[in-house]
Amino acid sequence: MISVTGVSKMFGVVRALNEIDLTVGPGVCGLLGPNGSGKSTLLKLIAGQLRPDTGTVRLLGQDPFALPAALRDLGLCPEQDRFYEDLSGFEFVEALTRLHGLNVEAARQATRAALDRVGMSRDGLKRMGEMSRGMRQRVKIAQAIAHDPRVVLLDEPLNGADPVARADLIRLVRALGDEGRCVLVSSHVLHEVESMTHRVVLVRAGRMRAQGDFLKLRELIEDRPYRITIELDAPEARAFAARLVALLHVRSASVNTDRTVEVTTVALDAACQEIPAVAAELGRVVVRFTSPDADLESLYRYLMHDD
């Protein structure tokens, strides 16, 4: 649904993007990278707001810069907070929905449905200038989905949202993906992206570092074993560690306390299956099993901070 091939973009002497290749289909995909990595530039290229210097961008098979009709199936929630402050949230969303070609009645129905979906049925009647930052963010998302687009671009969609609103909007993003839409979410808050999707694109200094399921990508980093801490229901740590270190995929096992053992392994899936079985052979139960190296943050740390 989104295809980017060999795309580079210059701003003066600054190369914002360098030979980017990207394919995104239905579902939610996280676009990750530090500030200045080129995430917003990439979204603007997909949205037809910029033309690439080299390469091609296709939105549902069409050039979004050259063919405005291609944008009818696109919803964009920009990072910038810009509104007509005297309009109500309803009037703002309705006006933008009319620009997508809906007639007056259809636009009003679509606006009501979109504001209801983001939890702004009542507060959407307030003037934009009277709204909190979180409310304004919800209105931005509402205008991005009101016209029922097949592709949705969300640039830092949870900025300014309180914890309750963040949880609601995360559920909304997942639901949009479950409906078969292509949802590309740019964010720097890793745990929020992880709660939306396992599919990620990592960009650093304008270059693609990785794309795919972050759990599978993490498995490819063989020089960084997983650390796992296991806690038993009784003081049997020494015997437990001795049994674990004999396993083929376990590199080391050390005793932390009389109930806890830390293991390093290059095969997380195998460890998850075999470690509880070893505990059961000793007549013990695993009461805690944690790893700081099996999440999106660990992948991001390895790929974005290590040369």
Side-chain angles (χ1 to χ4, degrees):
M1 301 175 81
I2 296 173
S3 177
V4 176
T5 306
V7 163
S8 296
K9 183 64 183 177
M10 299 285 294
F11 294 102
V13 297
V14 177
R15 187 178 294 273
L17 293 174
N18 191 356
E19 296 294 325
I20 294 290
D21 292 304
L22 171 66
T23 300
V24 187
V28 181
C29 181
L31 177 60
L32 306 174
N35 291 336
S37 61
K39 302 189 303 298
S40 293
T41 298
L42 180 57
L43 291 181
K44 289 177 181 178
L45 287 164
I46 297 170
Q49 296 178 346
L50 295 173
R51 185 195 293 273
D53 294 323
T54 62
T56 61
V57 177
R58 293 293 180 265
L59 176 67
L60 298 170
Q62 297 179 300
D63 183 343
F65 189 92
L67 300 171
L71 304 179
R72 291 173 183 167
D73 263 327
L74 174 72
L76 172 65
C77 174
E79 181 180 10
Q80 292 77 16
D81 192 1
R82 297 290 187 271
F83 297 94
Y84 296 101
E85 302 291 341
D86 289 334
L87 293 181
S88 70
F90 187 96
E91 292 168 335
F92 178 77
V93 176
E94 181 186 20
L96 294 184
T97 305
R98 289 292 310 279
L99 291 176
H100 277 285
L102 279 70
N103 63 37
V104 174
E105 185 55 34
R108 288 176 180 170
Q109 292 180 4
T111 298
R112 291 190 193 98
L115 288 173
D116 180 64
R117 194 162 191 189
V118 300
M120 288 288 289
S121 295
R122 181 180 61 186
D123 290 329
L125 300 178
K126 294 180 179 179
R127 290 177 56 253
M128 294 302 308
E130 299 172 345
M131 291 186 183
S132 68
R133 188 179 179 189
M135 290 179 182
R136 293 160 72 91
Q137 197 69 14
R138 288 177 185 244
V139 170
K140 278 202 298 184
I141 296 174
Q143 64 78 28
I145 64 175
H147 57 291
D148 194 27
R150 294 171 60 193
V151 177
V152 181
L153 307 180
L154 304 175
D155 197 355
E156 301 290 350
L158 305 185
N159 274 353
D162 59 50
V164 174
R166 284 173 181 265
D168 290 342
L169 294 176
I170 287 171
R171 284 192 291 269
L172 171 61
V173 171
R174 288 201 303 256
L176 293 172
D178 291 342
E179 292 166 3
R181 305 178 202 272
C182 173
V183 185
L184 186 58
V185 184
S186 172
S187 178
H188 64 279
V189 184
L190 300 181
H191 69 87
E192 291 177 346
V193 172
E194 188 172 354
S195 66
M196 296 176 190
T197 182
H198 281 188
R199 287 195 299 158
V200 295
V201 174
L202 280 75
V203 180
R204 176 184 177 187
R207 291 181 178 273
M208 181 76 68
R209 295 302 298 260
Q211 60 177 306
D213 185 312
F214 75 81
L215 293 175
K216 295 180 180 178
L217 291 171
R218 175 63 182 87
E219 291 176 357
L220 298 177
I221 307 177
E222 296 181 351
D223 62 328
R224 297 296 183 97
Y226 296 93
R227 293 167 294 160
I228 304 172
T229 300
I230 309 108
E231 181 180 351
L232 300 176
D233 62 339
E236 197 78 50
R238 290 188 179 279
F240 187 46
R243 296 289 294 274
L244 292 178
V245 79
L247 297 177
L248 179 63
H249 58 273
V250 172
R251 289 190 175 181
S252 67
S254 58
V255 176
N256 290 349
T257 70
D258 61 355
R259 292 173 183 261
T260 61
V261 174
E262 182 172 286
V263 169
T264 59
T265 178
V266 293
L268 183 63
D269 287 344
C272 290
Q273 295 175 15
E274 294 185 10
I275 288 174
V278 171
E281 291 173 4
L282 293 173
R284 302 273 61 92
V285 174
V286 174
V287 297
R288 186 167 64 93
F289 189 104
T290 60
S291 174
D293 299 314
D295 58 9
L296 178 56
E297 183 177 352
S298 68
L299 176 71
Y300 187 92
R301 184 170 62 249
Y302 297 151
L303 292 181
M304 308 304 272
H305 295 292
D306 291 348
D307 294 324

